[in-house]
């Protein structure tokens, strides 16, 4: 295994600066944010991935020795109006990944909130069939994070149809792989280790984020949280500051044969607000995970 992080948490920094800092801290990989240029999370500009951009990114990874584990673009591929633009950008991410020798592109399945789950799954098969074939033709795998994305549904129901092992099985059937993030399983009352064990062979990337349960709040709002779909009774933290048992998680992945990248996804509100605090949070995650995956 290699230890890395997702660059989206440092949008004000250049990829070159992030990479140099990552090496100094002992990280071995980066998952690079690849949103469009209109979004601050665009450390790789896939919409104009010409020879100059290719050489810029290639040089950063060649000079630092870091691995490029994935190009990240987590948006709603089933959105009723914006879906086609999202799909097209996923294709561009795949092409950039192939050119750079990057094995995966990460995104969400998403959901059309005006349709039933059953109809969404049928729509997703039509949408992702060509995307999977495009990725396969370029030697790249599309990985889906198991995030719930309550904010994408007007009533706070799951907005990304990849949140449970039941849906993972459906995803694998259409050629998608899993970007496994245990934090979201904690927030659903699912044991992350029990959920992962049968599917390690289908995990092509791992994101490391923790979940802190905020005591007593669920007794007021219930499992689904406050009206409007806010998280309410839990919050995401850097690894080591929540409920995830990282020793058991990493052990299950290693026992199952996973030898890829564990990429810290920093969404911790305590260690946010300015780049220095974000880097401190990444350091906490590093010192939590490094002893578990070293060597």
């Amino acid at each position: 295994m290699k230890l890395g992080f997702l660059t989206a948490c440092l949008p004000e920094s250049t990829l070159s600066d992030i990479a140099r800092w990552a090496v100094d801290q002992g990280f071995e990989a980066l998952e690079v944010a690849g949103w469009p240029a209109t979004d601050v999370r665009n450390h790789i500009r896939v919409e104009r991935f010409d020879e100059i951009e290719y050489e810029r990114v290639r040089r950063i990874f060649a000079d630092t020795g870091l691995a490029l584990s994935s190009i990240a673009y987590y948006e709603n591929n089933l959105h009723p109006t914006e879906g086609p633009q999202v799909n097209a950008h996923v294709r561009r991410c795949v092409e950039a990944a192939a050119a750079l020798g990057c094995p995966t592109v990460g995104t969400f399945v998403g959901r059309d909130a005006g349709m039933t789950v059953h109809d969404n799954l049928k729509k997703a098969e039509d949408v992702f069939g060509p995307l999977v074939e495009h990725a396969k033709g370029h030697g790249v795998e599309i990985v889906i994070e198991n995030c719930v994305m309550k904010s994408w549904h007007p009533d706070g129901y799951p907005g990304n149809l990849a949140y449970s092992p039941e849906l993972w099985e459906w995803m694998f059937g259409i050629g998608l792989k899993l970007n496994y993030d245990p934090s979201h399983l904690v927030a659903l009352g699912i044991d992350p280790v029990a959920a992962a064990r049968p599917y390690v062979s289908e995990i092509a990337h791992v994101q490391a984020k923790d979940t802190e349960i905020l005591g007593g709040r669920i007794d007021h709002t219930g499992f689904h949280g406050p009206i409007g779909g806010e998280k309410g009774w839990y919050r995401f933290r850097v690894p080591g500051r929540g409920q995830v048992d990282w020793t058991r998680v990493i052990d299950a992945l290693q026992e199952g044969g996973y030898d890829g990248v564990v990429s810290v996804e920093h969404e911790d509100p305590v260690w946010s607000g300015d780049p220095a605090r974000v880097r401190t949070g990444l350091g906490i995650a590093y010192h939590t995970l490094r002893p578990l995956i070293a060597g």
Side-chain angles (χ1 to χ4, degrees):
M1 288 187 185
K2 294 182 187 298
L3 182 56
F5 64 88
L6 172 56
T7 66
C9 61
L10 291 167
E12 67 293 310
S13 300
T14 67
L15 181 58
S16 179
D17 288 344
I18 292 171
R20 287 196 297 269
W21 181 84
V23 170
D24 289 343
Q25 300 306 305
F27 286 102
E28 301 155 303
L30 289 178
E31 178 186 3
V32 177
W35 275 260
T38 53
D39 193 300
V40 294
R41 299 166 295 177
N42 63 336
H43 289 121
I44 180 171
R45 296 182 287 273
V46 303
E47 72 272 31
R48 57 176 185 86
F49 193 75
D50 54 17
E51 187 64 29
I52 294 173
E53 179 67 357
Y54 161 77
E55 183 58 26
R56 180 185 75 89
V57 178
R58 187 204 67 78
R59 174 65 65 181
I60 289 169
F61 283 90
D63 288 349
T64 59
L66 292 167
L68 172 55
S69 68
S70 192
I71 295 179
Y73 173 57
Y74 288 91
E75 292 293 349
N76 188 349
N77 278 276
L78 302 186
H79 193 281
T81 58
E82 299 172 9
Q85 297 99 291
V86 175
N87 307 156
H89 195 77
V90 170
R91 285 177 171 269
R92 290 190 286 270
C93 288
V94 165
E95 292 158 8
L100 291 163
C102 174
T104 69
V105 166
T107 191
F108 288 140
V109 171
R111 179 177 186 167
D112 182 335
M115 297 169 56
T116 66
V117 171
H118 179 73
D119 288 342
N120 265 283
L121 296 183
K122 290 194 294 185
K123 177 179 179 179
E125 291 172 9
D126 292 337
V127 167
F128 278 96
L131 291 177
V132 168
E133 285 302 310
H134 186 67
K136 183 179 179 181
H138 284 78
V140 174
E141 291 185 307
I142 296 177
V143 296
I144 304 294
E145 183 188 351
N146 54 292
C147 182
V148 182
M149 292 305 295
K150 291 181 180 181
S151 62
W152 282 356
H153 193 285
D155 295 319
Y157 298 125
N160 174 39
L161 297 178
Y163 55 87
S164 68
E166 178 183 20
L167 288 164
W168 300 351
E169 292 173 356
W170 162 80
M171 289 192 326
F172 304 150
I174 62 173
L176 296 167
K177 296 292 186 178
L178 179 62
N179 187 5
Y180 167 71
D181 184 335
S183 68
H184 301 297
L185 295 164
V186 172
L188 288 171
I190 298 173
D191 178 356
V193 175
R197 282 194 186 279
Y199 306 109
V200 175
S201 64
E202 302 288 348
I203 295 173
H205 197 263
V206 171
Q207 284 185 332
K209 187 164 73 264
D210 219 325
T211 299
E212 177 188 8
I213 305 301
L214 304 174
R217 294 194 184 184
I218 195 171
D219 296 328
H220 178 66
T221 66
F223 176 81
H224 292 291
I227 295 169
E230 294 85 358
K231 299 180 182 70
W233 56 272
Y234 66 90
R235 62 180 179 175
F236 295 128
R237 302 298 307 274
V238 293
R241 298 298 169 93
Q243 267 66 45
V244 174
D245 186 335
W246 290 102
T247 299
R248 291 181 63 234
V249 167
I250 298 299
D251 185 58
L253 292 169
Q254 290 174 330
E255 184 178 357
Y258 181 77
D259 61 358
V261 170
V262 176
S263 178
V264 176
E265 184 184 20
H266 186 332
E267 294 182 349
D268 189 327
V270 176
W271 296 105
S272 296
D274 64 69
R277 290 188 65 81
V278 170
R279 289 185 172 91
T280 299
L282 288 170
I284 293 169
Y286 177 89
H287 289 292
T288 298
L289 298 171
R290 176 80 281 166
L292 304 178
I293 67 174

